[in-house]
Amino acid sequence: MAYPIHRLRRLRKNENIRRLVRENHISVDDLIYPLFIEEGKNIKKEIPSMPGIYRWSLDRIDEELEEVSNLNIPAVLLFGIPEHKDQVGSQTWNEEGIIQRAIRHIKENYPQLYIITDVCFCEYTEHGHCGVLHNNDVANDITLENTKKQVISHAQAGADMVAPSGMMDGVVKAIREALDGAGFTDIPIMAYSAKYASSYYGPFRDAADSAPAFGDRRTYQMDPANRREALREVSFDIEEGADIVMVKPALAYLDIISDVKREFKLPVAAYNVSGEYSMIKAAGKLGWIDENKVMMETVLSMKRAGADIVITYHAKEIARLLK
């Protein structure tokens, strides 16, 4: 028997009871904040398609890190924009590269921050693809060899976690073997396990200067139409040694987050990507939505779908509201 014996509105009567029975919550502890660090001096460059998000040079990054630290955001995800690019992205394993220097700076000055490094090549290659090219496509196994050099370089600089985003087959296994072989057995891997070839990445490519010079990334990133394939990708990454698995993007892929959370027992990260961020910012600027409320509801939807961790450009705004 339902109504009138059961009246669901009883538990919605006022804010106190709603708080008591609320099933999901957003906490600052859930958040990872991405940072774009550019080689050069005196750079604080707002990304036009991502209002409020900047590229920083290392000599000015403290302006951002102080705020992140004061807001008690636990972790940052680092993306580098080098001064010089080449065909293979060799700056990714240069011990004096922009990311390596950034890691050392953060470790020395903000030891309370947990440092995660994006492991990829698209920002570092002249062609903008995620590895070494062969016949105008990324050569999977050659790229894996360079990935090993990149992660060891990051670990030696002091990274706490590495996050491979290139969607190469076997990348988690290659990284785990490389890190373990170099003595970095305690560094975890957050795998971009279900990363789709999405149109939501547009603003990021402005932010990281990583748009491909030709073609697209559909031969190595997932087809947005596929759902079962995501579970295969995640299962392979877990077998290869992933410690955290990620779904990217998040908002249009809540079904994938839910599937992964239900099927596997590892922590699940959702990447609230640049296009999702920019849509909220644009609609908020035009007065079409209540920007803060839509922001919080959007991130809450990712938590409700099953995400344990949310990587989001909204992290500082969320942390301020939670304070």
Side-chain angles (χ1 to χ4, degrees), residues 59-104:
D59 61 334
R60 294 193 63 179
I61 192 64
D62 287 354
E63 298 171 40
E64 184 81 308
L65 292 171
E66 287 285 350
E67 186 175 15
V68 171
S69 182
N70 289 337
L71 288 169
N72 205 29
I73 295 168
V76 290
L77 175 60
L78 304 185
F79 296 90
I81 300 100
E83 190 172 5
H84 301 292
K85 304 187 181 195
D86 58 27
Q87 285 296 302
V88 299
S90 63
Q91 286 298 306
T92 59
W93 61 84
N94 179 354
E95 66 178 26
E96 292 302 319
I98 184 60
I99 285 299
Q100 289 79 358
R101 286 186 284 127
I103 294 167
R104 292 194 291 268

Side-chain angles (χ1 to χ4, degrees), residues 127-129 133 136-138 197 205 210-220:
H127 47 74
H129 280 282
L133 291 184
N136 283 339
D137 195 9
V138 175
R205 289 168 184 169
S210 63
F214 64 89
D216 52 44
R217 297 182 175 133
R218 289 184 293 176
T219 65
Y220 45 100

Side-chain angles (χ1 to χ4, degrees), residues 95-166:
E95 66 178 26
E96 292 302 319
I98 184 60
I99 285 299
Q100 289 79 358
R101 286 186 284 127
I103 294 167
R104 292 194 291 268
H105 176 83
I106 297 170
K107 274 294 173 190
E108 181 178 351
N109 296 285
Y110 304 91
Q112 71 277 22
L113 282 176
Y114 192 83
I115 302 172
I116 307 166
T117 58
D118 179 73
V119 175
C120 196
F121 297 94
C122 58
E123 305 103 304
Y124 297 84
T125 55
E126 294 170 337
H127 47 74
H129 280 282
C130 299
V132 179
L133 291 184
H134 178 69
N135 293 332
N136 283 339
D137 195 9
V138 175
N140 194 95
D141 296 0
I142 298 172
T143 298
L144 292 184
E145 293 304 310
N146 288 346
T147 302
K148 293 176 185 178
K149 292 186 281 188
Q150 184 179 167
V151 295
I152 290 172
S153 176
H154 289 184
Q156 289 171 337
D160 295 301
M161 177 186 288
V162 294
S165 62

